[in-house]
Amino acid sequence: MGAGKTTVGALLAERWGVDARDTDADVERLEGRTISDIFVESGEAHFRALEHKAVAEALAAHPGVLALGGGAVLDPGTRELLAGHTVVFLRVGLSDAVKRVGLGSARPLLLGNVRGRIKALLDERTPIYESLATLVVDTDGRTPDEVADEIVEALS
């Protein structure tokens, strides 16, 4: 959350001459409602099922750069789907994540103490992200272009 997945993904796609795709956008398009609305109206479990389906479909059909929602890898089935794919973990620290997301965030998983929730999510998810990553890139204090440059260089 706040690492720049969608922004950096679009930059990478442009540089490599391929399409960019975001599974969160796929879920919203297919459901006809925002992720926040899905969480509120149907619950997190329903959203996670939709997210898994979106990731599976995108990995099977999309030849370009794919940005996954931050919680997608919590699903063991999704982690299995990522095996054999190049996975880049855009690591963001707590301070930068809070600055990028904002304390007035409307993100469903951040209700209440935004800073505390972001810290808890980072603590919970970082070991999973690191275990799946082909490449780990730190994003703190860097522009999306700088992050994309590092990825292009590392994967070329």
Side-chain angles (χ1 to χ4, degrees):
M1 190 175 301
K5 297 176 296 291
T6 302
T7 302
V8 172
L11 290 169
L12 292 171
E14 182 180 309
R15 291 174 189 193
W16 287 327
V18 297
D19 289 329
R21 188 165 170 179
D22 183 309
T23 58
D24 281 349
D26 289 349
V27 169
E28 288 184 338
R29 183 177 32 76
L30 291 170
E31 280 287 294
R33 52 190 176 146
T34 66
I35 290 172
S36 292
D37 286 346
I38 296 168
F39 264 79
V40 170
E41 297 166 7
S42 303
E44 183 175 359
H46 179 70
F47 169 73
R48 295 294 174 206
L50 295 170
E51 180 178 54
H52 173 77
K53 182 179 177 188
V55 172
E57 290 174 0
L59 287 173
H62 180 69
V65 177
L66 181 63
L68 274 61
V73 299
L74 299 177
D75 180 78
T78 299
R79 291 194 299 268
E80 287 178 24
L81 291 171
L82 292 170
H85 292 275
T86 299
V87 176
V88 178
F89 167 36
L90 302 181
R91 183 168 36 211
V92 63
L94 178 59
S95 181
D96 276 35
V98 170
K99 286 178 201 167
R100 294 174 189 172
V101 171
L103 291 175
S105 177
R107 295 174 187 242
L109 289 178
L110 297 183
L111 296 176
N113 176 353
V114 173
R115 186 177 179 84
R117 288 293 301 139
I118 290 175
K119 181 180 181 339
L121 290 170
L122 288 172
D123 290 348
E124 171 192 13
R125 295 174 179 182
T126 295
I128 298 169
Y129 298 151
E130 289 173 341
S131 73
L132 294 169
T134 308
L135 175 65
V136 177
V137 178
D138 290 307
T139 67
D140 287 358
R142 301 173 75 193
T143 67
D145 279 309
E146 291 168 336
V147 172
D149 288 343
E150 181 177 336
I151 295 167
V152 169
E153 184 176 324
L155 297 180
S156 296

